Structure formats: structure tokens, C-alpha cells
Amino acid sequence: MSQNVPLRFGVLCNSYNFQRWQAEIIRDLLADGHQLELLIMNASTWKSSKNKKERIELPSNQLLYRVLYRFLYKPRWRKPVDMKAELKHIAAQACEIRKEGHREYFLSEDVTFIRNQELDFILRFGFNIIHGEILEAAKYGIWSFHHGDEQHYRGGPPGFWEIYESARLTGSVLQRLTPQLDSGVILKKGWFGTVKHSYSEQLDRIIGGSIPFVRQVCHDIITDNADYLNAPSSNTKAKIYRIPGNLKLLIFIQKIIRNRIVFQVKDLFMTEQWNIGVIDASPEKVAFNWKRYHGRVRWLSLPEANFFRADPFFFRAEGVPKIICERFNYRTTRGALELITLDGENQFKASDLALHGEKHFSFPFTFTNAGQIYCIPETSSNGRTDLYKFNQSNGQLEWQFTLIDKPLVDPTLVFFQNLWWLLATLPGNTSGALYVWFSSTLDGPFIAHPANPVKTDVRSSRPAGHFMILDGYLFRPAQNSSRTYGGSIVINQVISMTPNEYIEQQVIELKPDDDWIFSSGLHTISGDEKITLIDAKRYKFIPAATINKLKKKFTIIRK
């Protein structure tokens, strides 16, 4: 199946007017060196759609959805983009279609012409429910997006019914079309937390998060890792959803308003308060025997008012047990890195700041190399990711160099198969997509994985602590933020981590105990052969936090 770059592709479209996400995919592919050979235009809409905004025609009992679609929501990824100037050198073929019910068939002569272009794949950014010979006109078929989880939501509108039915997750798939309606071959799939208080934000999340899928499939084809192209069609018997009638649309609006009020009130008056717990066993034992150990947590005492501790990492300096963690200040809304020395009972012996400043510091990932203790804190507000060395004489972190000139969120590092691997998420989608870089030396340069983001799943992307090794297998802890930020920890087994491929699968989920004082979330695990550190949260009214949030909201209103 492997093929040398570039891949040749065509685009099914209604005109030169694309939605922004579609234009971004085309530009992404062209920047990667792939060749757009043919625009397959819908003859019935090409001329009539020039310089006209997208329209949606619906019967009167769906009038309110038409109003919502055209006037009341404005997702940025659906804004129109005129690509005529960019694509004027690309051959365009106007194709007539024959309709049979809801299905559209291409004329045989058009199918023959398209097949003769020897395209590797065709993207469907236009037409409707296409059927017949056109489905086999390209080597790897026609690829189409369905912004929903086909196992639960077939039909449309995208992202709508998940809000209506209060679904925790919203899926999105790129599929190769088959003759069977709504049962294509799944090429890539992602999961996103449902944005229940905003339909525009919901669409932007699922549409924008799916943009890399096409480029990733192309990479898999080139590296001979795309056997899924010939997998069986999706086996789904999910309900087929339709455009809502006026009554259901009114109920939907009422739910959006209610959800927004609940979201704003909770955000304003209920603040996350994190704390650190200690368990006397290794992280591997704790993680793989969670039911046995989760009741043995000893919580450290909270710092003074207006502070919390989170993101704990454990190491030993000259045999002395240490915790380095984020110490967050509700008044300044910034975090510093705190160093805690433990006594024999794992209680506070001494505490001091190891790193602080005008910017926010958190998630102080620690590791040892050549006998030296290093730390990679999250410093995304600085616009880069830096490496620090721990000075054992004064307990301070000393800057060494910039690992990567990007603002990474919760960066983690592991040396595996003679390479250094740096894994993190990015600002803007801090919990939803995992990115990887690799280097032969610690001082870089770190090369972006060509399949980035290697994973799109709000349930198990964002790093949650040190890698674990058990029975020779590598495991990566990640945060599950599908229910709430840092709701639980998922342990993933790394199946393949190479410069061309990254595959992992979930094996265990660690959930907070309902009997804990801090029972609303769990998002970091680290330690050594004797001690495991975790952090967990609860929601609490904290006046300093509420005051800061009110100031921020009033500032936005004044602007």
C-alpha cells in the first residue's frame, strides 16, 4: 500500500467558495507537498453560487433552525473563503448529476474522466449523498467528514443533538464513503468534550479539531501504516437524526440558555481547590491495583488561605524525599513552583519556592539524566518550553536552555529506543490533542512528529505524570477531561512510538474516591519505587478567586 510522496488528490465542491475549515485542509495538504489535480464542480451550483452566501432551504416547520443557521450563530471555522485566486491554476471539471431519491449519481463519461486523472483520493466538500461508480474513481476512494460519532449520532445537524441530549462527548470521523449510507470505512476518529453552553463553540471545537485528519491519513499511506483503508465498513445501527423542528429548536435554545447560566454561575462562585496525596507504594503498583490503594491516601495539609497545591512530582536529592509542585495564588492567578521536603511520616519538614516570577509556572515534570536532576515546568505563558537543572545546595531551579521554542502544555519527557521523546498538548486545545517531538540528544533539536497531533481524544491526551514501565511495557498516564478538567487519570499502553508512528491504547482508568475530601477530580501521578504522589480537587467558594473573575468579566464588558 505504501506510496512515495506526493499524493494526488481531487476535491468535490460546489464552487470556489469553501468554508474556512475546508480551505485550511486544502492548504495543509499543499504545504505538505501533495498535489491538488482536479476540482470536481457541481454544475448545478457552480455558476449560481458565485458571490452568493451559503443558503439553506427548509420547510416552514423547520423555520427556526434556518434562522439559527443563518443569523444567530457564527462559528469561525464555517466562515466562507473564496479560493478562486489560489486555485485558478487547478483544472476544474463541471459535472452533471442524476438524482434518484436522495442519492446523486455521476454520468459515466464524468466518472471515466475523473478515473483517468489517476487520483489517490478525493475529498468531498460539495454535492450531497453521492452514490455509484464515482465512489471507486480514485485509488483510495472518496473521503468525507461526519462531525459526530457514527456509533451514536448519524445524520445531523453536526454537534446539535449532543447538546440537546446532554451527551458528555461529541465525536468526529473522517470516512471513506461506501454504497451503504452512514456506514463508511473509518479512517480517523476523534472525541471532544461537548460544549453544552454554546453551539458556535461546539462546532468550532469538533470541526477545528478534525482538520488534521486528512493530512494524517496521507502520512499513514506514505509510511505504509494505512491498512485501515481496506477495513470493513462501520457497523452501526445508531438512530438517524434530522434537522430539528421548531418546537425542538425552542427547547434547544432554552437548554443553551440554562447551560450558559449554570456554567457562568459555577465558574464565578465555585473554584477548584487542589491538594496533594501520598500513598506508600510505587506508581505502577498503585495504578494497576487502584481499588486496593485508593483508600490509603494521606493528604498533605493545605497551604495558607488563597493558595492551593497541584501537579506534584517526586524525586530524591541525596536520598532526601522531595516534592516539587505548583503553588497557585488565587489573588494573582499565577503559579510558582514549590519545593517540599518530607520527614519520615511524609509530612512537611520544610517548604520553599524553587521557581517563581511574573509569569505562571506549573506542572514541574522532573527526571534524572547522568546523575543530574532536571525539571521541565510548564511555562506556556512565556511562549516557549525550557529545561532547568535542580541545584541541590540551595533548592533552586536554574535555567539551562530552551528545549523547544513553543508554548507546550504539561510537557513530559522519556528516553525510549535511543531517542528523547517530548509529549504535550498545546494552548487553545489543552486537553484534546496530543503532540509529539523527538530528538537524538537532550539539547535537541526536537523534531515535530509528522503525524501531529498523534491523538485527538479529550479522554486521554493531556499528560498526567511520569511514564511507567511494567513487565517491559511502557505506559503513559493522561488526563480524562471529558466530564470536567482533570476528572480522572487514564493509563495508556504505548504500542508503537517511532518517528513515523505513535499508537497507544487505554488499559486502566483511575477515578477519584467518593469518600475523599477532594473527590471532584484527579490529574497527576508520579513517584518512585516506594512513594506515589497524586493530586485531587474539590469545588469551593473562594472569595479572592471570585473577585478576580468579576474584575475580568467587567474588564471584558468595558472593552
Side-chain angles (χ1 to χ4, degrees):
M1 183 182 291
S2 61
Q3 175 175 335
N4 294 326
V5 291
L7 298 183
R8 296 162 52 86
F9 71 101
V11 175
L12 288 162
C13 50
N14 293 328
S15 71
Y16 284 103
N17 292 320
F18 293 85
Q19 294 182 18
R20 182 181 171 189
W21 66 276
Q22 297 168 338
E24 190 73 13
I25 289 173
I26 293 173
R27 291 165 178 164
D28 222 10
L29 293 173
L30 296 176
D32 244 21
H34 303 296
Q35 296 178 354
L36 175 55
E37 300 290 344
L38 182 65
L39 296 173
I40 305 165
M41 295 283 193
N42 189 331
S44 64
T45 61
W46 183 7
K47 294 182 179 179
S48 63
S49 63
K50 289 181 179 179
N51 301 319
K52 291 184 179 180
K53 293 183 178 180
E54 181 184 10
R55 297 181 63 85
I56 179 170
E57 301 297 335
L58 295 172
S60 59
N61 65 344
Q62 296 173 331
L63 174 64
L64 289 181
Y65 181 78
R66 180 167 57 189
V67 173
L68 173 72
Y69 186 91
R70 295 197 62 190
F71 302 111
L72 298 184
Y73 82 98
K74 299 182 183 298
R76 63 188 182 93
W77 283 116
R78 278 196 164 181
K79 290 182 178 179
V81 175
D82 185 350
M83 298 190 74
K84 186 172 184 179
E86 290 180 67
L87 304 180
K88 62 182 179 181
H89 62 290
I90 305 298
Q93 174 76 2
C95 296
E96 301 287 348
I97 55 174
R98 172 173 54 85
K99 289 190 175 183
E100 293 184 9
H102 294 292
R103 293 178 173 178
E104 298 180 345
Y105 292 82
F106 281 67
L107 302 181
S108 295
E109 54 266 33
D110 286 331
V111 174
T112 299
F113 175 82
I114 294 168
R115 185 179 287 119
N116 288 340
Q117 306 309 303
E118 298 182 344
L119 303 174
D120 289 300
F121 65 94
I122 299 172
L123 292 176
R124 189 184 77 86
F125 289 158
F127 296 82
N128 291 305
I129 302 174
I130 58 177
H131 205 66
E133 294 179 295
I134 188 66
L135 298 178
E136 304 297 330
K139 183 176 181 179
Y140 301 119
I142 295 178
W143 302 353
S144 177
F145 280 89
H146 172 64
H147 294 114
D149 183 349
E150 88 293 348
Q151 293 296 326
H152 300 283
Y153 293 91
R154 292 194 290 166
F160 179 94
W161 295 104
E162 289 88 343
I163 297 176
Y164 189 91
E165 297 182 350
S166 300
R168 183 167 54 94
L169 289 170
T170 300
S172 184
V173 300
L174 176 67
Q175 59 187 337
R176 179 171 65 84
L177 296 180
T178 65
Q180 188 176 357
L181 184 63
D182 290 324
S183 294
V185 175
I186 304 302
L187 306 180
K188 290 292 176 182
K189 189 169 184 176
W191 288 267
F192 309 85
T194 302
V195 184
K196 299 178 182 178
H197 61 275
S198 170
Y199 190 30
S200 292
E201 290 182 29
Q202 163 83 334
L203 285 171
D204 276 336
R205 176 174 292 184
I206 61 177
I207 292 174
S210 307
I211 287 174
F213 288 0
V214 177
R215 174 176 50 80
Q216 290 168 337
V217 176
C218 291
H219 170 74
D220 288 347
I221 291 173
I222 292 165
T223 57
D224 202 17
N225 290 308
D227 289 344
Y228 51 76
L229 280 164
N230 297 313
S233 299
S234 173
N235 182 19
T236 176
K237 296 181 180 178
K239 175 183 176 182
I240 298 178
Y241 288 80
R242 309 291 185 187
I243 290 175
N246 293 334
L247 177 59
K248 288 190 175 181
L249 199 283
L250 287 173
I251 295 173
F252 175 82
I253 293 173
Q254 178 266 327
K255 288 185 176 186
I256 286 281
I257 294 172
R258 182 196 62 194
N259 293 341
R260 182 173 289 276
I261 292 172
V262 171
F263 174 81
Q264 294 291 347
V265 170
K266 184 176 180 180
D267 177 66
L268 191 59
F269 295 106
M270 299 303 291
T271 300
E272 292 180 347
Q273 184 183 54
W274 292 86
N275 195 19
I276 297 171
V278 180
I279 303 174
D280 293 325
S282 70
E284 290 81 5
K285 285 184 178 179
V286 170
F288 290 91
N289 298 276
W290 184 242
K291 290 184 178 180
R292 175 183 176 187
Y293 284 103
H294 68 64
R296 303 183 184 184
V297 181
R298 298 189 311 281
W299 300 103
L300 300 186
S301 57
L302 286 166
E304 60 269 29
N306 298 320
F307 291 89
F308 73 63
R309 293 188 179 95
D311 299 342
F313 284 88
F314 183 83
F315 64 95
R316 296 180 189 271
E318 299 179 344
V320 179
K322 303 278 188 178
I323 296 174
I324 188 167
C325 63
E326 174 192 357
R327 177 187 174 94
F328 183 81
N329 187 330
Y330 290 112
R331 292 186 182 277
T332 64
T333 66
R334 288 196 299 270
L337 300 188
E338 182 179 21
L339 183 67
I340 301 170
T341 302
L342 300 180
D343 63 18
E345 300 299 321
N346 294 326
Q347 297 299 319
F348 288 110
K349 184 178 180 181
S351 168
D352 200 359
L353 294 183
L355 186 65
H356 60 94
E358 295 301 316
K359 299 291 186 177
H360 175 74
F361 297 94
S362 62
F363 200 79
F365 179 86
T366 59
F367 67 100
T368 301
N369 183 48
Q372 179 62 56
I373 300 167
Y374 292 96
C375 180
I376 309 173
E378 181 195 314
T379 55
S380 58
S381 59
N382 290 337
R384 64 181 188 272
T385 301
D386 295 329
L387 179 72
Y388 290 79
K389 182 174 68 174
F390 178 68
N391 187 326
Q392 299 194 39
S393 63
N394 60 16
Q396 296 295 295
L397 291 177
E398 299 174 347
W399 184 86
Q400 299 298 293
F401 52 82
T402 295
L403 270 178
I404 186 169
D405 198 21
K406 288 182 179 294
L408 305 186
V409 175
D410 292 355
T412 58
L413 192 74
V414 66
F415 188 72
F416 181 71
Q417 294 182 345
N418 298 316
L419 288 173
W420 288 98
W421 298 89
L422 181 63
L423 295 87
T425 60
L426 296 180
N429 188 16
T430 57
S431 295
L434 177 66
Y435 292 77
V436 176
W437 294 261
F438 56 90
S439 172
S440 58
T441 60
L442 181 58
D443 57 356
F446 279 85
I447 300 169
H449 200 286
N452 275 340
V454 297
K455 184 177 191 178
T456 303
D457 192 341
V458 70
R459 301 169 300 178
S460 58
S461 289
R462 185 169 176 169
H466 286 127
F467 279 78
M468 303 176 188
I469 297 178
L470 185 66
D471 297 329
Y473 295 101
L474 187 65
F475 297 89
R476 186 185 73 90
Q479 300 180 34
N480 178 357
S481 295
S482 60
R483 179 178 56 86
T484 179
Y485 164 66
S488 63
I489 294 174
V490 166
I491 307 297
N492 300 290
Q493 181 180 347
V494 178
I495 306 300
S496 176
M497 186 160 63
T498 73
N500 282 321
E501 183 180 50
Y502 184 90
I503 301 174
E504 66 180 23
Q505 64 182 18
Q506 177 181 335
V507 292
I508 299 172
E509 183 179 9
L510 315 182
K511 297 181 179 180
D513 192 323
D514 290 338
D515 293 331
W516 291 352
I517 298 174
F518 304 90
S519 61
S520 297
L522 173 71
H523 81 348
T524 311
I525 183 169
S526 72
D528 68 359
E529 66 277 3
K530 294 182 179 180
I531 284 180
T532 292
L533 301 178
I534 61 171
D535 60 358
K537 72 176 179 179
R538 65 182 176 184
Y539 288 98
K540 187 178 180 180
F541 172 65
I542 298 174
T546 298
I547 290 170
N548 268 323
K549 291 174 185 177
L550 283 170
K551 288 180 180 178
K552 185 176 180 180
K553 291 181 186 295
F554 284 136
T555 300
I556 292 173
I557 291 172
R558 285 199 299 270
K559 289 182 179 179

